[in-house]
């Protein structure tokens, strides 16, 4: 069981730097110390310390082996100090350290890779060796504590503090996500309530209009009146269908969500819009890739509105331009791209000033309601482009909230 995050590349780099630095420090101290006098030779202290310093490089990969090597080195230093003076430690060293010089760095590293019980046992052993409590000394004991207990306990404190901060950050992020979900639920409830009111009020009026137009179609003897009444009835019926779709989306109860097997029947055809634009002098090059029989009615009507709004804006703001309209049907949806060339004349101020100015923003909201996305903006060539990515079917309210939460995470 580890007590900290996995070591990173920078951790390994600092470990190598520390090992080389301590090896250099021990080499310097070896040149300043008196030579050892035992059978191991005059450089026994240097030959003991430097391999232990360099073993620190492998502390993250083999922590117990490295700890065992350093503990063995500390034991040899203890034997030399107590039983054979001058064997591995000079009889009069310039340093008060009674454990290998690399010990405090090693203990800081082991905090991250050893379980707490093993670490505390190892720290206790090093502390006993470093303080030599059986020979109390005001010089040795403080230096031994600083070399063993202090780095270990300090690293444990810092690790606990990091864990606490990480836990608090996770809790704050979780609370933020929960708050966001509650806000989404509240908005969904309000949206359903408004959808119900809109359905009750608008459907009632539209139904009356359709009924009156149907009655006028039957009762009138004038062909022009009957044709006008039939047009009103047809447009009113279509408006009721679109309203029913939008209310279903707002309520999160859209039923035609399922599959690519749902055929599109009696839905608006973008080719009609192309013909309308060409009839008023706006040439449109239409390119269709794939087939559109896998779109749900709500998505198909939304696609129609995207094309309609884009072509309407071209007529208002870019007279004399040419339009490229691309429809790319995918197994899971539809891509729409409407791009016009730079206008050849100034727009009619009356025509350009008509409307509320919120067509694209309203269209973006409608596209996002069914789980799609819409972009609109100028292009480098000087024209304007409207593009949309639509799904094949309308996601349910629950799946839309799940996808939105997953994107935030």
């Amino acid at each position: 069981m580890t007590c900290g995050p996995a070591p990173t590349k920078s951790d390994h780099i600092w470990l190598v730097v520390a090992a080389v630095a301590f090896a250099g420090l021990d080499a310097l101290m070896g040149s300043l110390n008196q030579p050892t006098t035992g059978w191991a030779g005059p450089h026994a202290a240097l030959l003991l310390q430097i391999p232990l310093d360099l073993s620190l490089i492998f502390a993250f990969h083999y922590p117990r082996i490295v700890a065992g090597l350093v503990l063995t080195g500390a034991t040899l230093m203890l034997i030399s100090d107590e039983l054979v003076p001058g064997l591995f430690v000079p009889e009069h060293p310039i340093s008060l350290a009674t454990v290998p010089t690399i010990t405090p760095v090693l203990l800081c590293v082991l905090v991250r890779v050893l379980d707490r019980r093993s670490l505390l046992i190892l720290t206790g052993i090093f502390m006993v060796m470093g303080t030599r409590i059986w020979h109390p000394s005001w010089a040795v004991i403080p230096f031994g504590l600083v070399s063993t207990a202090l780095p270990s306990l300090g690293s444990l404190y810092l690790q606990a503090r990091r864990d606490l901060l990480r836990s608090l950050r996770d809790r704050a992020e979780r609370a933020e996500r929960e708050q966001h979900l509650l806000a989404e639920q509240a908005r969904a409830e309000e949206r359903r309530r408004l959808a119900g009111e809109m359905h009750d009020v608008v459907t009632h009026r539209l139904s009356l209009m359709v009924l009156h137009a149907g009655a006028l179609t039957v009762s009138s003897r004038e062909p022009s009146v009957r044709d006008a009444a039939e047009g009103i009835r047809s447009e009113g019926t279509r408006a009721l269908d679109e309203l029913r779709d939008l209310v279903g989306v707002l309520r999160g109860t859209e039923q035609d969500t399922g599959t690519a097997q749902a055929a599109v029947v009696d839905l608006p055809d973008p080719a009609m819009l192309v013909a309308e634009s060409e009839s008023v002098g706006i040439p449109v090059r239409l390119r269709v890739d794939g087939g559109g029989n896998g779109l749900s009615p709500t998505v198909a009507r939304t696609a129609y509105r995207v094309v309609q709004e884009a072509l309407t804006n071209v007529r208002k703001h870019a007279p004399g331009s040419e339009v490229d309209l691309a429809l790319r049907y995918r197994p899971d949806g539809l891509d729409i791209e409407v791009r016009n060339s730079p206008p050849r004349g100034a727009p009619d101020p009356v025509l350009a000033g008509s409307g509320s100015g919120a067509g694209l923003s309203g269209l973006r909201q409608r596209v996002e309601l069914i789980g799609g996305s819409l972009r609109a903006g100028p292009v480098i060539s000087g024209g304007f482009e409207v593009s949309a990515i639509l799904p094949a079917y309308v996601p349910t309210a629950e799946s839309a909230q799940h996808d939105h939460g997953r994107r935030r995470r």
Side-chain angles (χ1 to χ4, degrees):
M1 180 182 69
T2 60
C3 296
T8 62
K9 184 178 180 180
S10 61
D11 292 329
H12 289 287
I13 293 175
W14 281 112
L15 210 59
V16 172
V17 171
V20 174
F22 272 84
L25 176 63
D26 282 330
L28 177 62
M29 292 176 61
S31 65
L32 299 177
N33 264 325
Q34 298 177 355
T36 51
T37 57
W39 55 263
H43 304 294
L46 195 61
L47 296 176
L48 176 65
Q49 293 280 0
I50 290 183
L52 296 179
D53 294 335
L54 297 179
S55 70
L56 183 68
I57 297 175
F58 307 99
F60 279 133
H61 295 294
Y62 310 104
R64 297 183 184 275
I65 295 177
V66 175
L69 290 175
V70 177
L71 187 59
T72 302
T75 304
L76 293 177
M77 292 176 66
L78 176 62
I79 293 173
S80 174
D81 188 51
E82 294 292 329
L83 302 178
V84 190
L87 178 59
F88 294 107
V89 179
E91 294 187 21
H92 301 288
I94 62 174
S95 172
L96 297 176
T98 55
V99 291
T101 315
I102 203 67
T103 301
V105 181
L106 175 65
L107 290 174
C108 292
V109 172
L110 294 180
V111 168
R112 296 183 54 180
V113 292
L114 287 185
D115 60 276
R116 185 166 299 180
R117 181 172 177 271
S118 299
L119 176 70
L120 292 178
I121 293 174
L122 192 61
T123 301
I125 296 173
F126 275 119
M127 185 177 65
V128 171
M129 291 183 172
T131 57
R132 309 291 170 87
I133 56 175
W134 54 88
H135 295 313
S137 170
W138 288 108
V140 175
I141 289 179
F143 200 86
L145 291 174
V146 169
S147 301
T148 57
L150 184 62
S152 181
L153 296 178
S155 297
L156 281 174
Y157 166 75
L158 293 177
Q159 183 65 47
R161 186 174 182 273
R162 282 193 295 267
D163 292 342
L164 176 61
L165 291 177
R166 189 183 304 112
S167 173
L168 292 176
R169 183 168 57 250
D170 292 342
R171 290 171 62 182
E173 292 176 353
R174 185 166 59 251
E176 182 182 358
R177 288 195 297 269
E178 292 174 354
Q179 185 68 25
H180 176 75
L181 289 177
L182 289 175
E184 286 289 330
Q185 291 175 0
R187 282 195 290 268
E189 290 295 331
E190 181 66 14
R191 196 168 66 182
R192 281 192 285 269
R193 186 185 66 81
L194 292 175
E197 293 182 1
M198 182 175 68
H199 180 269
D200 294 341
V201 174
V202 180
T203 302
H204 174 69
R205 297 299 179 186
L206 282 175
S207 300
L208 288 177
M209 182 186 71
V210 171
L211 290 174
H212 287 309
L216 187 60
T217 302
V218 175
S219 61
S220 178
R221 297 180 180 179
E222 296 291 334
S224 59
V225 174
R226 287 199 302 269
D227 291 342
E230 178 60 27
I232 294 173
R233 189 192 69 80
S234 177
E235 291 298 326
T237 302
R238 180 177 296 179
L240 282 173
D241 291 338
E242 294 186 4
L243 178 63
R244 188 179 304 111
D245 289 337
L246 285 177
V247 170
V249 173
L250 289 171
R251 284 176 168 173
T253 57
E254 176 65 34
Q255 296 300 316
D256 59 1
T257 61
T259 67
Q261 297 161 354
V264 180
V265 180
D266 297 332
L267 293 179
D269 185 1
M272 297 170 53
L273 297 173
V274 172
E276 291 177 1
S277 291
E278 291 181 340
S279 67
V280 295
I282 303 293
V284 179
R285 291 185 291 268
L286 175 62
R287 186 176 77 254
V288 180
D289 297 331
N293 289 335
L295 300 180
S296 72
T298 301
V299 174
R301 289 192 181 96
T302 302
Y304 182 86
R305 292 302 178 211
V306 171
V307 176
Q308 183 183 54
E309 180 67 23
L311 293 179
T312 299
N313 285 339
V314 172
R315 289 196 292 271
K316 285 183 178 181
H317 305 290
S321 63
E322 299 178 350
V323 180
D324 289 305
L325 169 60
L327 303 177
R328 288 184 288 272
Y329 291 94
R330 298 176 280 104
D332 58 345
L334 168 66
D335 296 337
I336 303 173
E337 184 180 292
V338 184
R339 177 183 296 183
N340 64 272
S341 62
R344 298 178 180 175
D348 186 340
V350 176
L351 187 62
S354 63
S356 63
L360 286 177
S361 61
L363 187 64
R364 180 176 288 106
Q365 293 177 3
R366 177 166 181 169
V367 169
E368 290 176 351
L369 273 176
I370 64 170
S373 62
L374 182 137
R375 293 187 300 107
V379 295
I380 298 177
S381 62
F384 198 85
E385 179 182 83
V386 176
S387 60
I389 301 175
L390 305 180
Y393 59 90
V394 182
T396 61
E398 291 78 8
S399 64
Q401 288 185 8
H402 173 73
D403 291 342
H404 184 71
R406 185 173 57 187
R407 286 195 299 269
R408 282 179 57 85
R409 290 194 292 271

